[in-house]
Amino acid sequence: MLKPMLDRLQQVGHSGLGFVQAIGRSGLFMVQAIFGRPAAGGGGYGLLIKQLYAVGVLSLVIITVSGLFIGMVLGLQGYNILVRYGSEEAVGQMVALSLVRELGPVVTALLFAGRAGSALTAEIGLMKATEQLSSLEMIGVDPLKRIIAPRFWAGFISMPLLTLIFTMVGILGGAMVSVDWLGVYEGSFWSSMKDSVDFVSDVGDGIIKSLVFGAVVTWISVFQGYDATPTSEGISRATTRTVVYSSLAVLGLDFVLTAVMFGD
Amino acid sequence: MRMRTVEISVGAFMLAGILALLLLALKVSGLSLDSARQTYRIYAMFDNVGSLSPRAKVSMSGVTIGRVVSVTFDKRTYMARVDMDIDKNIDNIPVDSTAAIVTAGLLGEKFIGISVGGEVDFVQPEGRIEDTQSALILEDLIGKFLLNTVNSDSGATAGSGSADNF
């Protein structure tokens, strides 16, 4: 009677401890990666550039294309609703505010997790499985500094830039649909936008959001790769976990950040 | 050679990001580089500001000449105090001008429209526009309108004595 209950209790305790250990491990891991300068001398800069290329430049296509389409859809939907109330001039304001405050940072982070985060996890996981990480350690190079730190910083730097590009392309897409196609007067499209968007409190908060998302998504990606079971199955699981955890973290954090920034 | 293309594309990426930030600042949020300091502050007291909010525009003859900075309640006079920043080069608003709270369209944003007066003295920085006109509250108007309709309806059916049933 008592023994199965104790067994159950032990299971709960075991998973709880495992969870806390994982958090502690990833925290320590990240602190070491952030403060670890990537390899001494000029090597560090080159490593960062390479990662910026892999993480940032290669994500540009998906970011611009989805930004354009999201902006166009917002313009179309906004116009169809606003034209009923005779205030279709406000479509610029609607497109700009929703992109700058919410959709820009969030959708970019979700796409980034799918495009760059999963690649980071798979790459690091495979390095671990083929024992490249332990060979690095063997020849006296800290893999945290050589492999993890440049990837983390590249993600952290790329995310706000990608978000800004996404937002701007989206607004241009919205302008294209509502001004050029649906015939909203161009002057009031841009001026209603200027009247309602504030640089510090709207664009600035969007940038803060994207910085937070950048740090969180890249953190999850590199940690999942580093912590993956070094088998092919383990890597596939770690990649899936990266996308799932990143998306959930982004959406959850977005609510918290929005509540702090705009919820007064 | 390979590293060179990588570096060039990263540089282009960074430039694109900065360009997007500049466009967002100048074209979307209307941040202009020198408008911040070239304004002066005036205020006006209103009976009712409706839903006027900070950053609403202040316009004269339909042209935006400034922004509302803050809307506060004045404890002493039981009125709403609206502070606004006016462009420095519009320094000739006559003191007897009227500041009215108007609405853009039927459901649009509220903003302040200033109609020019005829005095030769101008409103000074930190000065006050004395003559004001409160916001038109749509609900009040509808309420009055409905009341009138009810009154005239019952007046028509009851023949007389419409004044006592409201």
Side-chain angles (χ1 to χ4, degrees):
Chain A
M1 179 61 203
L2 199 62
K3 193 171 179 306
M5 279 176 69
L6 277 178
D7 282 352
R8 199 43 73 71
L9 196 62
Q10 188 195 353
Q11 275 174 10
V12 172
H14 181 77
S15 53
L17 278 178
F19 178 69
V20 173
Q21 271 176 356
I23 289 184
R25 216 164 46 233
S26 62
L28 278 177
F29 164 81
M30 213 55 246
V31 169
Q32 278 171 306
I34 290 174
F35 294 110
R37 287 194 171 283
Y45 172 73
L47 286 174
L48 182 62
I49 294 287
K50 254 183 206 154
Q51 289 312 315
L52 274 174
Y53 179 77
V55 167
V57 177
L58 293 183
S59 309
L60 261 181
V61 177
I62 186 175
I63 292 292
T64 37
V65 171
S66 21
L68 188 70
F69 280 118
I70 286 186
M72 282 160 65
V73 165
L74 275 178
L76 200 52
Q77 290 279 19
Y79 178 84
N80 278 334
I81 293 170
L82 289 170
V83 79
R84 283 190 207 171
Y85 304 101
S87 48
E88 65 267 24
E89 271 74 25
V91 71
Q93 169 181 351
M94 198 207 87
V95 169
L97 279 182
S98 46
L99 273 171
V100 166
R101 284 186 181 173
E102 284 300 326
L103 289 176
V106 171
V107 176
T108 311
L110 293 179
L111 291 172
F112 185 85
R115 163 67 187 75
S118 56
L120 285 178
T121 307
E123 189 187 12
I124 297 171
L126 196 66
M127 279 183 184
K128 191 180 179 186
T130 52
E131 296 186 339
Q132 293 179 50
L133 291 185
S134 31
S135 350
L136 273 180
E137 248 171 281
M138 206 88 86
I139 58 171
V141 178
D142 187 352
L144 278 179
K145 292 181 184 170
R146 175 94 195 166
I147 304 293
I148 306 296
R151 282 170 176 72
F152 174 77
W153 283 114
F156 185 68
I157 296 169
S158 303
M159 183 73 92
L161 294 172
L162 288 172
T163 303
L164 288 169
I165 294 170
F166 180 95
T167 309
M168 201 54 231
V169 170
I171 290 173
L172 291 178
M176 218 161 73
V177 165
S178 43
V179 174
D180 299 333
W181 180 23
L182 298 169
V184 174
Y185 175 56
E186 188 176 4
S188 53
F189 180 87
W190 290 106
S191 71
S192 77
M193 197 184 283
K194 276 182 194 169
D195 282 346
S196 56
V197 179
D198 185 61
F199 184 69
V200 177
S201 70
D202 292 327
V203 181
D205 283 358
I207 294 175
I208 292 175
K209 272 186 184 177
S210 69
L211 284 172
V212 173
F213 294 162
V216 169
V217 170
T218 341
W219 177 20
I220 291 174
S221 311
V222 289
F223 179 71
Q224 289 298 341
Y226 198 73
D227 209 42
T229 318
T231 58
S232 40
E233 196 197 354
I235 294 171
S236 82
R237 274 197 188 161
T239 316
T240 312
R241 271 206 303 269
T242 293
V243 177
V244 173
Y245 288 176
S246 308
S247 311
L248 288 179
V250 164
L251 294 172
L253 273 174
D254 180 54
F255 174 71
V256 175
L257 287 173
T258 310
V260 170
M261 287 165 175
F262 303 107
D264 49 349
Chain B
M1 199 55 213
R2 173 95 183 97
M3 195 62 198
R4 190 173 145 78
T5 47
V6 167
E7 280 181 352
I8 288 173
S9 51
V10 170
F13 169 54
M14 298 253 169
L15 275 183
I18 292 165
L19 185 76
L21 179 66
L22 274 179
L23 276 176
L24 279 177
L26 299 176
K27 198 149 187 195
V28 175
S29 54
L31 194 77
S32 58
L33 299 171
D34 49 9
S35 76
R37 55 199 161 79
Q38 290 177 329
T39 57
Y40 64 100
R41 180 74 52 93
I42 61 173
Y43 75 98
M45 311 291 275
F46 290 90
D47 287 326
N48 191 340
V49 287
S51 57
L52 186 80
S53 55
R55 283 184 51 75
K57 62 185 179 185
V58 178
S59 78
M60 210 162 164
S61 314
V63 180
T64 305
I65 57 161
R67 299 246 162 235
V68 171
V69 183
S70 68
V71 180
T72 47
F73 181 67
D74 190 80
K75 247 166 68 177
R76 216 163 34 78
T77 55
Y78 297 99
M79 287 172 95
R81 180 192 165 116
V82 175
D83 287 88
M84 348 171 207
D85 274 347
I86 308 290
D87 283 351
K88 198 120 219 174
N89 51 356
I90 317 282
D91 55 356
N92 53 348
I93 303 173
V95 285
D96 62 339
S97 302
T98 307
I101 297 180
V102 281
T103 313
L106 192 58
L107 299 166
E109 261 182 276
K110 292 230 174 357
F111 64 95
I112 292 187
I114 296 180
S115 349
V116 189
E119 280 285 336
V120 286
D121 293 331
F122 300 136
V123 179
Q124 296 303 309
E126 302 300 324
R128 170 179 173 183
I129 294 183
E130 302 279 343
D131 196 8
T132 60
Q133 208 176 315
S134 287
L136 223 60
I137 312 285
L138 198 63
E139 288 81 351
D140 287 358
L141 279 184
I142 294 172
K144 274 181 198 159
F145 177 71
L146 283 179
L147 206 62
N148 275 342
T149 332
V150 169
N151 277 346
S152 58
D153 265 10
S154 56
T157 49
S160 63
S162 63
D164 45 351
N165 54 30
F166 78 76

